[in-house]
């Protein structure tokens, strides 16, 4: 395969041009593939979502431009005399590392495609980008129906679990539902929605009502806070909006702090998926994008859906 050099600006323009050409295509499930141990589960959950939503899959691999620059930047190194040869050799090593990383990314995408296709999905696209992950996802946002990412980063191990280093930035930036998955796949059989009764919370209910992914699945609508008549009315309104899913819907109000109360309810009822939304300035919003986010993501053992 012959490779030609291009500047970072040219490369981004080409990426954006290709993305704009694809905007006329139908919305897709976009699965982020990397070298983490969560990658197989990302493929499996993307396949599951694709088949339930009758939506094609795009497998995306983004090569971090900071770690693997397409062209090393030697600005400021002029005039170092005898060290210029060493700099040239180091630059050549960087280019070789980037080339090998790109080739490894192609292999990962090929393996991911085989896994997704074996699950029964036929419409699969593969894309590889060289740049920033969040920028790459934003460029594909108009083509994305659901984004699937692993909870744990490439540096995670059994003894030392790390959430993906860019997860919070992606969550804050994207305006598409995000399915964050653990390292092992289990076909979801039940779900719960963390609900706070706000206007944007009802938008999240509308989004669920219009998606077949949870159709027929037992669904719990859970509010955290005081047990009042107004809250029950809000829950009943949301329940009516979800009638088209033909699901067995359970309504609940729990007191306490958001994180422990939600996790306790999820464990008590053995619920597979927790669905949350970015709700204005609510307690759930503060929990989602606040200092407890890292802890919640790090300790999650089941899939988490962020509605935007």
């Amino acid at each position: 395969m012959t490779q030609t050099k291009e500047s970072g600006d040219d490369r981004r323009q080409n990426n954006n041009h290709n993305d704009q050409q694809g905007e006329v295509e139908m919305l897709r499930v976009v699965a982020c593939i990397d070298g983490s141990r969560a990658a197989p589960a990302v493929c499996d959950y993307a396949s599951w979502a694709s088949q339930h939503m009758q939506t094609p899959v795009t497998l995306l691999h983004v090569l971090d431009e900071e770690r693997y620059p397409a062209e090393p930047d030697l600005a400021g190194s002029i005039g170092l005399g005898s060290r210029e040869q060493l700099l040239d050799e180091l630059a050549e090593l960087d280019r070789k590392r980037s080339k090998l990383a790109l080739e490894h990314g192609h292999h990962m995408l090929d393996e991911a495609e085989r896994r997704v296709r074996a699950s029964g999905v036929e419409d699969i696209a593969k894309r590889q980008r060289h740049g920033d992950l969040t920028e790459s996802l934003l460029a594909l946002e108009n083509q994305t129906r659901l984004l699937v990412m692993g909870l744990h980063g490439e540096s995670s191990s059994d003894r030392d679990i790390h959430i993906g280093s860019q997860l919070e930035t992606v969550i804050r930036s994207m305006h598409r539902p995000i399915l964050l998955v653990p390292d092992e796949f289990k076909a979801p059989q039940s779900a719960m929605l963390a609900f706070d009764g706000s206007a944007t919370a009802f938008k999240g209910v509308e989004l669920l009502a219009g998606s077949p992914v949870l159709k027929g699945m037992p669904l719990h609508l859970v509010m955290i806070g005081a047990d009042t008549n107004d809250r029950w009315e809000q829950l009943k309104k949301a329940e009516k909006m979800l009638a088209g899913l033909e699901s067995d819907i359970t309504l609940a109000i729990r007191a306490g702090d958001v994180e422990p109360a939600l996790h306790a309810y999820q464990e008590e009822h053995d619920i597979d998926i927790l669905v949350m939304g970015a709700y204005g300035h609510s307690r759930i919003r503060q929990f989602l994008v606040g200092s407890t986010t890292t802890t919640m993501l790090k300790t999650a053992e089941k899939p988490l859906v962020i509605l935007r």
Side-chain angles (χ1 to χ4, degrees), residues 43-151:
C43 294
D44 295 342
Y45 278 105
S47 301
W48 170 82
S50 168
Q51 293 177 74
H52 278 75
M53 302 170 75
Q54 297 183 333
T55 303
V57 171
T58 292
L59 302 171
L60 173 68
H61 174 252
V62 178
L63 193 64
D64 188 342
E65 194 168 31
E66 291 188 2
R67 291 182 60 191
Y68 301 101
E71 188 64 34
D73 182 7
L74 300 180
S77 299
I78 299 174
L80 294 180
S82 61
R83 285 188 286 179
E84 290 184 0
Q85 181 179 353
L86 176 59
L87 289 172
D88 289 340
E89 292 176 359
L90 290 173
E92 182 60 26
L93 285 175
D94 281 343
R95 281 188 283 267
K96 289 180 179 179
R97 288 179 64 249
S98 294
K99 181 179 179 181
L100 288 173
L102 283 168
E103 292 177 355
H104 180 55
H106 283 303
H107 288 307
M108 286 193 295
L109 287 172
D110 289 342
E111 289 298 321
E113 180 186 21
R114 280 190 280 271
R115 190 179 185 99
V116 173
R117 196 173 298 280
S119 72
V121 179
E122 297 182 356
D123 191 343
I124 305 169
K126 295 181 294 183
R127 307 194 67 158
Q128 186 175 56
R129 296 175 61 92
H130 199 157
D132 177 76
L133 174 61
T134 302
E135 289 181 1
S136 299
L137 291 172
L138 288 173
L140 295 173
E141 191 170 44
N142 289 339
Q143 304 166 41
T144 302
R145 186 174 187 184
L146 174 70
L147 172 63
V148 184
M149 298 181 66
L151 277 163

Side-chain angles (χ1 to χ4, degrees), residues 8-23 127 129 135-140 143:
D9 290 339
D10 289 339
R11 186 170 55 260
R12 281 186 283 272
Q13 288 175 0
N14 289 336
N15 285 338
N16 290 338
H17 176 67
N18 292 334
D19 294 335
Q20 290 168 2
Q21 286 183 323
E23 287 179 3
R127 307 194 67 158
R129 296 175 61 92
E135 289 181 1
S136 299
L137 291 172
L138 288 173
L140 295 173
Q143 304 166 41

Side-chain angles (χ1 to χ4, degrees), residues 201-215:
F202 278 106
K203 290 181 181 178
V205 172
E206 290 178 2
L207 184 63
L208 287 182
S211 172
V213 71
L214 299 181
K215 188 175 180 64

Side-chain angles (χ1 to χ4, degrees), residues 37 152-153 155-163 298:
R37 60 182 185 174
H152 304 143
S155 60
S156 287
S157 65
D158 291 331
R159 294 183 178 181
D160 191 12
I161 297 176
H162 298 283
I163 66 168
K298 185 175 180 179

